[in-house]
Amino acid sequence: MIAASLALSFSTGTASAQCGAASWYALTSKTASGERMNPAAMTAAHRSLPFGTKIKVVNKANGKSVVVRINDRGPFARGRVLDLSKAAAQKLGFIRAGHTPVCIAKVS
């Protein structure tokens, strides 16, 4: 199990990383940023990163990676650091599992 204590804080202007569990969702409701959730887009929900921030997500289980844009708030499940769109989860290879260990870092 991925412990929430693995998380490192993001800090402005530095190459910080955060690790933990990620899940995916495919709703079509409005996101916290005001845009409609698009399951086919490369987007994600994070608790505190500013909307529009681009991050690289690496699936620790298989090494696959993807760049996504933060457009929503969450995840609200304990121990998770990121909720990804269905398309991003598909590229990372964890649709069937529903969640996976990841590390994320800001893209400059």
Side-chain angles (χ1 to χ4, degrees):
M1 181 175 191
I2 302 299
S5 62
L6 291 175
L8 299 172
S9 298
F10 277 93
S11 56
T12 307
T14 62
S16 298
Q18 183 178 32
C19 297
S23 55
W24 65 271
Y25 68 120
L27 305 174
T28 56
S29 57
K30 268 192 174 179
T31 64
S33 66
E35 65 186 82
R36 177 112 3 234
M37 169 57 174
N38 178 357
M42 291 297 167
T43 57
H46 189 274
R47 287 183 187 95
S48 60
L49 286 174
F51 297 134
T53 301
K54 290 188 178 182
I55 59 171
K56 181 178 181 179
V57 183
V58 178
N59 183 340
K60 290 175 64 178
N62 62 18
K64 293 181 179 182
S65 66
V66 68
V67 174
V68 297
R69 179 178 53 86
I70 303 300
N71 73 337
D72 204 1
R73 290 292 172 232
F76 300 107
R78 191 173 190 198
R80 297 207 179 135
V81 296
L82 200 63
D83 272 341
L84 293 157
S85 65
K86 185 176 183 180
Q90 192 164 25
K91 284 203 173 194
L92 290 172
F94 73 96
I95 292 287
R96 289 184 74 188
H99 55 84
T100 194
V102 297
C103 285
I104 61 176
K106 285 185 185 180
V107 174
S108 3

